[in-house]
Short mmCIF file of all heavy atoms in Angstrom, two decimals:
data_model
loop_
_atom_site.label_atom_id
_atom_site.label_comp_id
_atom_site.label_asym_id
_atom_site.label_seq_id
_atom_site.Cartn_x
_atom_site.Cartn_y
_atom_site.Cartn_z
N VAL A 127 0.84 -1.21 0.00
CA VAL A 127 0.00 0.00 0.00
C VAL A 127 0.87 1.26 0.00
O VAL A 127 0.59 2.24 -0.71
CB VAL A 127 -0.95 0.00 1.22
CG1 VAL A 127 -1.67 1.34 1.35
CG2 VAL A 127 -1.96 -1.13 1.10
N ALA A 128 1.95 1.24 0.77
CA ALA A 128 2.84 2.40 0.87
C ALA A 128 3.51 2.69 -0.47
O ALA A 128 3.67 3.85 -0.85
CB ALA A 128 3.90 2.15 1.95
N VAL A 129 3.93 1.64 -1.18
CA VAL A 129 4.56 1.84 -2.48
C VAL A 129 3.59 2.51 -3.45
O VAL A 129 3.94 3.45 -4.17
CB VAL A 129 5.06 0.50 -3.04
CG1 VAL A 129 5.49 0.66 -4.50
CG2 VAL A 129 6.22 -0.03 -2.22
N VAL A 130 2.35 2.04 -3.45
CA VAL A 130 1.33 2.63 -4.34
C VAL A 130 1.07 4.08 -3.96
O VAL A 130 1.02 4.97 -4.83
CB VAL A 130 0.03 1.81 -4.28
CG1 VAL A 130 -1.08 2.51 -5.05
CG2 VAL A 130 0.25 0.41 -4.84
N LEU A 131 0.91 4.34 -2.66
CA LEU A 131 0.64 5.71 -2.22
C LEU A 131 1.82 6.64 -2.48
O LEU A 131 1.63 7.82 -2.83
CB LEU A 131 0.29 5.72 -0.73
CG LEU A 131 -1.09 5.19 -0.35
CD1 LEU A 131 -1.25 5.17 1.17
CD2 LEU A 131 -2.19 6.05 -0.97
N GLU A 132 3.04 6.12 -2.33
CA GLU A 132 4.22 6.95 -2.57
C GLU A 132 4.27 7.40 -4.02
O GLU A 132 4.57 8.57 -4.32
CB GLU A 132 5.47 6.17 -2.20
CG GLU A 132 6.72 7.03 -2.06
CD GLU A 132 7.41 7.32 -3.39
OE1 GLU A 132 7.21 6.53 -4.34
OE2 GLU A 132 8.14 8.33 -3.48
N ARG A 133 3.95 6.48 -4.92
CA ARG A 133 4.01 6.81 -6.35
C ARG A 133 2.81 7.66 -6.79
O ARG A 133 2.95 8.56 -7.63
CB ARG A 133 4.07 5.53 -7.19
CG ARG A 133 5.40 4.80 -7.06
CD ARG A 133 5.48 3.62 -8.00
NE ARG A 133 6.81 3.01 -7.94
CZ ARG A 133 7.85 3.41 -8.65
NH1 ARG A 133 7.71 4.43 -9.48
NH2 ARG A 133 9.02 2.81 -8.54
N ALA A 134 1.65 7.39 -6.23
CA ALA A 134 0.44 8.07 -6.68
C ALA A 134 0.17 9.38 -5.93
O ALA A 134 -0.50 10.27 -6.47
CB ALA A 134 -0.77 7.14 -6.53
N PHE A 135 0.69 9.49 -4.70
CA PHE A 135 0.32 10.64 -3.86
C PHE A 135 1.53 11.39 -3.33
O PHE A 135 1.72 12.57 -3.63
CB PHE A 135 -0.56 10.14 -2.71
CG PHE A 135 -0.92 11.19 -1.70
CD1 PHE A 135 -1.89 12.14 -1.99
CD2 PHE A 135 -0.30 11.24 -0.47
CE1 PHE A 135 -2.22 13.12 -1.07
CE2 PHE A 135 -0.62 12.21 0.46
CZ PHE A 135 -1.58 13.16 0.16
N TYR A 136 2.37 10.70 -2.54
CA TYR A 136 3.44 11.40 -1.84
C TYR A 136 4.46 12.03 -2.80
O TYR A 136 5.02 13.09 -2.51
CB TYR A 136 4.16 10.45 -0.88
CG TYR A 136 3.37 10.18 0.38
CD1 TYR A 136 2.56 9.06 0.48
CD2 TYR A 136 3.41 11.06 1.45
CE1 TYR A 136 1.83 8.81 1.63
CE2 TYR A 136 2.69 10.82 2.60
CZ TYR A 136 1.89 9.70 2.68
OH TYR A 136 1.15 9.46 3.81
N ARG A 137 4.72 11.37 -3.91
CA ARG A 137 5.71 11.89 -4.84
C ARG A 137 5.35 13.29 -5.32
O ARG A 137 6.24 14.08 -5.66
CB ARG A 137 5.83 10.93 -6.03
CG ARG A 137 6.92 11.30 -7.01
CD ARG A 137 7.27 10.13 -7.91
NE ARG A 137 7.81 9.02 -7.14
CZ ARG A 137 8.38 7.95 -7.69
NH1 ARG A 137 8.47 7.86 -8.99
NH2 ARG A 137 8.83 6.98 -6.93
N HIS A 138 4.08 13.62 -5.32
CA HIS A 138 3.64 14.93 -5.81
C HIS A 138 3.72 16.03 -4.75
O HIS A 138 3.51 17.21 -5.08
CB HIS A 138 2.20 14.82 -6.33
CG HIS A 138 2.03 13.84 -7.44
ND1 HIS A 138 2.52 14.03 -8.71
CD2 HIS A 138 1.44 12.61 -7.45
CE1 HIS A 138 2.24 13.00 -9.47
NE2 HIS A 138 1.58 12.11 -8.74
N ILE A 139 4.01 15.65 -3.50
CA ILE A 139 4.12 16.70 -2.47
C ILE A 139 5.55 16.85 -1.97
O ILE A 139 5.81 17.65 -1.08
CB ILE A 139 3.17 16.42 -1.28
CG1 ILE A 139 3.54 15.13 -0.56
CG2 ILE A 139 1.73 16.38 -1.74
CD1 ILE A 139 2.74 14.90 0.72
N TYR A 140 6.51 16.07 -2.52
CA TYR A 140 7.90 16.28 -2.16
C TYR A 140 8.31 17.70 -2.55
O TYR A 140 8.07 18.16 -3.67
CB TYR A 140 8.82 15.31 -2.90
CG TYR A 140 8.69 13.86 -2.47
CD1 TYR A 140 9.01 12.82 -3.34
CD2 TYR A 140 8.28 13.53 -1.20
CE1 TYR A 140 8.92 11.50 -2.96
CE2 TYR A 140 8.16 12.21 -0.79
CZ TYR A 140 8.49 11.20 -1.69
OH TYR A 140 8.38 9.89 -1.30
N GLY A 141 8.93 18.41 -1.62
CA GLY A 141 9.39 19.75 -1.91
C GLY A 141 8.33 20.82 -1.86
O GLY A 141 8.63 22.00 -2.07
N ARG A 142 7.09 20.45 -1.59
CA ARG A 142 6.02 21.44 -1.51
C ARG A 142 6.09 22.17 -0.16
O ARG A 142 6.71 21.69 0.79
CB ARG A 142 4.66 20.76 -1.66
CG ARG A 142 4.49 19.97 -2.94
CD ARG A 142 4.45 20.85 -4.16
NE ARG A 142 3.29 21.73 -4.16
CZ ARG A 142 3.06 22.66 -5.10
NH1 ARG A 142 3.93 22.82 -6.09
NH2 ARG A 142 1.99 23.41 -5.04
N PRO A 143 5.44 23.33 -0.04
CA PRO A 143 5.42 24.04 1.25
C PRO A 143 4.85 23.16 2.36
O PRO A 143 4.00 22.30 2.12
CB PRO A 143 4.51 25.24 0.97
CG PRO A 143 4.64 25.48 -0.50
CD PRO A 143 4.78 24.12 -1.10
N GLU A 144 5.32 23.39 3.59
CA GLU A 144 4.94 22.54 4.71
C GLU A 144 3.43 22.50 4.94
O GLU A 144 2.88 21.44 5.24
CB GLU A 144 5.63 23.02 6.00
CG GLU A 144 7.12 22.75 6.07
CD GLU A 144 7.94 23.77 5.33
OE1 GLU A 144 7.35 24.68 4.69
OE2 GLU A 144 9.19 23.68 5.37
N LEU A 145 2.76 23.64 4.78
CA LEU A 145 1.32 23.67 5.02
C LEU A 145 0.59 22.76 4.03
O LEU A 145 -0.36 22.06 4.41
CB LEU A 145 0.79 25.10 4.93
CG LEU A 145 -0.72 25.26 5.17
CD1 LEU A 145 -1.11 24.75 6.55
CD2 LEU A 145 -1.13 26.73 5.00
N GLU A 146 1.02 22.75 2.79
CA GLU A 146 0.39 21.88 1.79
C GLU A 146 0.60 20.41 2.15
O GLU A 146 -0.31 19.58 1.99
CB GLU A 146 0.96 22.17 0.41
CG GLU A 146 0.58 23.55 -0.12
CD GLU A 146 1.09 23.79 -1.53
OE1 GLU A 146 1.43 22.79 -2.22
OE2 GLU A 146 1.15 24.96 -1.95
N GLN A 147 1.79 20.07 2.64
CA GLN A 147 2.06 18.70 3.05
C GLN A 147 1.19 18.30 4.23
O GLN A 147 0.64 17.18 4.28
CB GLN A 147 3.55 18.53 3.40
CG GLN A 147 4.49 18.69 2.23
CD GLN A 147 5.93 18.52 2.64
OE1 GLN A 147 6.26 18.42 3.83
NE2 GLN A 147 6.82 18.49 1.66
N VAL A 148 1.05 19.20 5.19
CA VAL A 148 0.23 18.92 6.37
C VAL A 148 -1.22 18.67 5.97
O VAL A 148 -1.84 17.67 6.36
CB VAL A 148 0.32 20.08 7.38
CG1 VAL A 148 -0.76 19.94 8.45
CG2 VAL A 148 1.69 20.11 8.02
N LEU A 149 -1.78 19.56 5.16
CA LEU A 149 -3.18 19.42 4.77
C LEU A 149 -3.40 18.16 3.94
O LEU A 149 -4.39 17.43 4.13
CB LEU A 149 -3.62 20.65 3.98
CG LEU A 149 -3.67 21.97 4.76
CD1 LEU A 149 -4.02 23.13 3.83
CD2 LEU A 149 -4.67 21.88 5.90
N ALA A 150 -2.47 17.87 3.03
CA ALA A 150 -2.62 16.69 2.17
C ALA A 150 -2.56 15.40 2.98
O ALA A 150 -3.37 14.49 2.80
CB ALA A 150 -1.54 16.69 1.09
N THR A 151 -1.60 15.31 3.91
CA THR A 151 -1.43 14.07 4.66
C THR A 151 -2.51 13.90 5.74
O THR A 151 -2.89 12.78 6.06
CB THR A 151 -0.03 13.99 5.29
OG1 THR A 151 0.21 15.16 6.10
CG2 THR A 151 1.03 13.92 4.21
N VAL A 152 -3.01 15.00 6.29
CA VAL A 152 -4.13 14.90 7.22
C VAL A 152 -5.36 14.37 6.48
O VAL A 152 -6.10 13.51 6.99
CB VAL A 152 -4.43 16.26 7.88
CG1 VAL A 152 -5.79 16.24 8.57
CG2 VAL A 152 -3.36 16.59 8.91
N GLY A 153 -5.57 14.87 5.27
CA GLY A 153 -6.68 14.36 4.47
C GLY A 153 -6.53 12.87 4.19
O GLY A 153 -7.51 12.10 4.25
N LEU A 154 -5.30 12.44 3.88
CA LEU A 154 -5.06 11.02 3.64
C LEU A 154 -5.33 10.20 4.90
O LEU A 154 -5.88 9.09 4.84
CB LEU A 154 -3.63 10.81 3.18
CG LEU A 154 -3.22 9.37 2.89
CD1 LEU A 154 -4.09 8.76 1.81
CD2 LEU A 154 -1.74 9.29 2.49
N ALA A 155 -4.95 10.74 6.06
CA ALA A 155 -5.20 10.03 7.32
C ALA A 155 -6.70 9.80 7.53
O ALA A 155 -7.13 8.71 7.94
CB ALA A 155 -4.61 10.82 8.49
N PHE A 156 -7.50 10.81 7.22
CA PHE A 156 -8.95 10.65 7.37
C PHE A 156 -9.50 9.63 6.37
O PHE A 156 -10.45 8.91 6.68
CB PHE A 156 -9.65 11.99 7.20
CG PHE A 156 -9.67 12.83 8.45
CD1 PHE A 156 -8.85 13.94 8.59
CD2 PHE A 156 -10.50 12.48 9.51
CE1 PHE A 156 -8.86 14.69 9.75
CE2 PHE A 156 -10.53 13.24 10.67
CZ PHE A 156 -9.70 14.35 10.80
N LEU A 157 -8.92 9.56 5.18
CA LEU A 157 -9.33 8.55 4.21
C LEU A 157 -9.01 7.14 4.73
O LEU A 157 -9.81 6.21 4.57
CB LEU A 157 -8.64 8.78 2.87
CG LEU A 157 -9.18 9.93 2.02
CD1 LEU A 157 -8.31 10.11 0.77
CD2 LEU A 157 -10.63 9.67 1.63
N MET A 158 -7.84 6.99 5.34
CA MET A 158 -7.48 5.69 5.92
C MET A 158 -8.46 5.31 7.03
O MET A 158 -8.92 4.17 7.12
CB MET A 158 -6.05 5.74 6.48
CG MET A 158 -4.97 5.87 5.44
SD MET A 158 -3.33 6.04 6.23
CE MET A 158 -2.24 5.93 4.82
N ILE A 159 -8.77 6.27 7.89
CA ILE A 159 -9.69 6.02 8.99
C ILE A 159 -11.07 5.62 8.46
O ILE A 159 -11.67 4.64 8.92
CB ILE A 159 -9.81 7.28 9.88
CG1 ILE A 159 -8.50 7.51 10.63
CG2 ILE A 159 -10.96 7.15 10.87
CD1 ILE A 159 -8.44 8.86 11.33
N ALA A 160 -11.55 6.37 7.47
CA ALA A 160 -12.87 6.09 6.92
C ALA A 160 -12.90 4.72 6.25
O ALA A 160 -13.90 3.99 6.35
CB ALA A 160 -13.25 7.18 5.92
N SER A 161 -11.81 4.34 5.58
CA SER A 161 -11.77 3.05 4.89
C SER A 161 -11.84 1.89 5.88
O SER A 161 -12.61 0.93 5.69
CB SER A 161 -10.50 2.95 4.05
OG SER A 161 -10.45 3.96 3.06
N VAL A 162 -11.04 1.98 6.95
CA VAL A 162 -11.05 0.92 7.96
C VAL A 162 -12.38 0.90 8.70
O VAL A 162 -12.94 -0.16 8.99
CB VAL A 162 -9.87 1.09 8.95
CG1 VAL A 162 -9.98 0.10 10.10
CG2 VAL A 162 -8.55 0.91 8.22
N ASN A 163 -12.91 2.08 8.98
CA ASN A 163 -14.20 2.17 9.68
C ASN A 163 -15.31 1.54 8.86
O ASN A 163 -16.19 0.84 9.39
CB ASN A 163 -14.51 3.64 9.97
CG ASN A 163 -15.58 3.81 11.03
OD1 ASN A 163 -15.89 2.88 11.77
ND2 ASN A 163 -16.16 5.00 11.10
N LEU A 164 -15.28 1.78 7.54
CA LEU A 164 -16.30 1.22 6.66
C LEU A 164 -16.17 -0.30 6.55
O LEU A 164 -17.17 -1.03 6.57
CB LEU A 164 -16.18 1.84 5.27
CG LEU A 164 -17.15 1.33 4.20
CD1 LEU A 164 -18.59 1.66 4.58
CD2 LEU A 164 -16.81 1.93 2.84
N ALA A 165 -14.93 -0.79 6.48
CA ALA A 165 -14.71 -2.21 6.26
C ALA A 165 -14.83 -3.04 7.54
O ALA A 165 -15.39 -4.15 7.52
CB ALA A 165 -13.32 -2.43 5.65
N LEU A 166 -14.33 -2.50 8.66
CA LEU A 166 -14.26 -3.30 9.88
C LEU A 166 -14.98 -2.69 11.07
O LEU A 166 -15.01 -3.29 12.15
CB LEU A 166 -12.78 -3.53 10.25
CG LEU A 166 -11.94 -4.26 9.20
CD1 LEU A 166 -10.48 -4.28 9.61
CD2 LEU A 166 -12.45 -5.67 8.99
N GLY A 167 -15.52 -1.50 10.93
CA GLY A 167 -16.20 -0.86 12.04
C GLY A 167 -15.23 -0.08 12.92
O GLY A 167 -14.02 -0.06 12.69
N SER A 168 -15.78 0.57 13.94
CA SER A 168 -14.97 1.43 14.81
C SER A 168 -14.56 0.76 16.12
O SER A 168 -13.95 1.41 16.97
CB SER A 168 -15.74 2.71 15.12
OG SER A 168 -16.98 2.41 15.74
N SER A 169 -14.91 -0.50 16.30
CA SER A 169 -14.54 -1.19 17.53
C SER A 169 -13.08 -1.64 17.48
O SER A 169 -12.44 -1.61 16.42
CB SER A 169 -15.45 -2.40 17.76
OG SER A 169 -15.34 -3.29 16.66
N LEU A 170 -12.56 -2.06 18.64
CA LEU A 170 -11.17 -2.52 18.69
C LEU A 170 -11.00 -3.77 17.83
O LEU A 170 -11.85 -4.66 17.81
CB LEU A 170 -10.78 -2.84 20.14
CG LEU A 170 -10.75 -1.67 21.13
CD1 LEU A 170 -10.32 -2.15 22.50
CD2 LEU A 170 -9.83 -0.57 20.64
N LEU A 171 -9.87 -3.83 17.12
CA LEU A 171 -9.56 -4.98 16.27
C LEU A 171 -8.64 -5.92 17.04
O LEU A 171 -7.50 -5.59 17.33
CB LEU A 171 -8.88 -4.51 14.97
CG LEU A 171 -9.69 -3.52 14.13
CD1 LEU A 171 -8.92 -3.13 12.88
CD2 LEU A 171 -11.06 -4.09 13.78
N ALA A 172 -9.18 -7.08 17.39
CA ALA A 172 -8.43 -8.01 18.24
C ALA A 172 -7.22 -8.58 17.50
O ALA A 172 -7.31 -8.96 16.34
CB ALA A 172 -9.35 -9.16 18.68
#
């Protein structure tokens, strides 16, 4: 997953201003959260 994201997403923010990197990666974090929440729910994963 990291290899795909690095090529499709992170590579485009290398060298960008810090604020743009923060906003982009926070958005990605919420996408990750939403994906896991949709697939497995919000309860603890044993």
Side-chain angles (χ1 to χ4, degrees):
V127 171
V129 170
V130 173
L131 285 176
E132 195 277 336
R133 289 186 175 275
F135 175 76
Y136 284 96
R137 185 163 297 190
H138 300 290
I139 64 173
Y140 291 154
R142 303 292 296 177
E144 288 81 357
L145 180 59
E146 293 183 17
Q147 293 180 353
V148 168
L149 293 176
T151 55
V152 166
L154 180 59
F156 277 106
L157 284 175
M158 292 176 172
I159 291 170
S161 299
V162 173
N163 197 17
L164 178 63
L166 300 174
S168 58
S169 59
L170 295 181
L171 302 180

